[in-house]
Amino acid sequence: MIDLSSIVKTIFYQSDQPLLFTHLFFWIFFLVVLLGYSLVFRLQGKRNYLKVLYLLLVSFYFYYKTSGIFIILLWYVIVIDFFLGKKIAISQEWKRKLWLTISIIN
């Protein structure tokens, strides 16, 4: 009989058992990701957004399994740099340098 608590422990982050390349769960996860990517690749045709979305979500999960709560820091940096990048793109010369400096310091 499959124990639900062991499945939950495997899926969620545990600080005493982070996802490492030497664990069997990593290689099973890698195989599932690879098979899922090939399925998404075949289904989507020429549109790239499904592949990108799939790899983004899988990457977030992988980062969560290896680092736990630090995923929030990653999301923060992504959102801030996205909006600062938009500011850099529409700004003039000296403001670009200012926004870039803020992005680097952030």
Side-chain angles (χ1 to χ4, degrees):
M1 177 170 253
I2 298 175
D3 185 23
L4 186 60
S5 65
S6 66
I7 294 173
V8 170
K9 283 182 180 179
T10 304
I11 293 173
F12 291 106
Y13 173 74
Q14 295 178 16
S15 60
D16 59 331
Q17 291 182 337
L19 181 61
L20 300 174
F21 298 108
T22 56
H23 291 163
L24 178 63
F25 179 76
F26 168 79
W27 294 105
I28 294 170
F29 173 73
F30 181 73
L31 180 64
V32 169
V33 169
L34 202 58
L35 291 173
Y37 183 78
S38 65
L39 179 67
V40 169
F41 185 79
R42 288 182 186 180
L43 291 178
Q44 76 161 355
K46 293 186 179 185
R47 299 177 305 254
N48 280 336
Y49 69 91
L50 286 177
K51 285 192 295 189
V52 171
L53 180 64
Y54 176 75
L55 289 177
L56 179 70
L57 294 175
V58 167
S59 298
F60 283 155
Y61 178 73
F62 178 77
Y63 190 82
Y64 165 73
K65 277 294 284 180
T66 57
S67 302
I69 196 74
F70 290 109
I71 189 76
I72 295 170
L73 179 63
L74 178 65
W75 291 337
Y76 168 78
V77 170
I78 289 171
V79 169
I80 295 298
D81 282 345
F82 174 78
F83 288 109
L84 287 175
K86 285 183 162 276
K87 289 279 194 188
I88 291 169
I90 62 172
S91 297
Q92 299 300 325
E93 174 97 17
W94 69 273
K95 283 189 177 180
R96 277 186 186 190
K97 292 178 182 178
L98 174 68
W99 291 121
L100 180 62
T101 304
I102 292 171
S103 176
I104 291 170
I105 292 172
N106 186 27

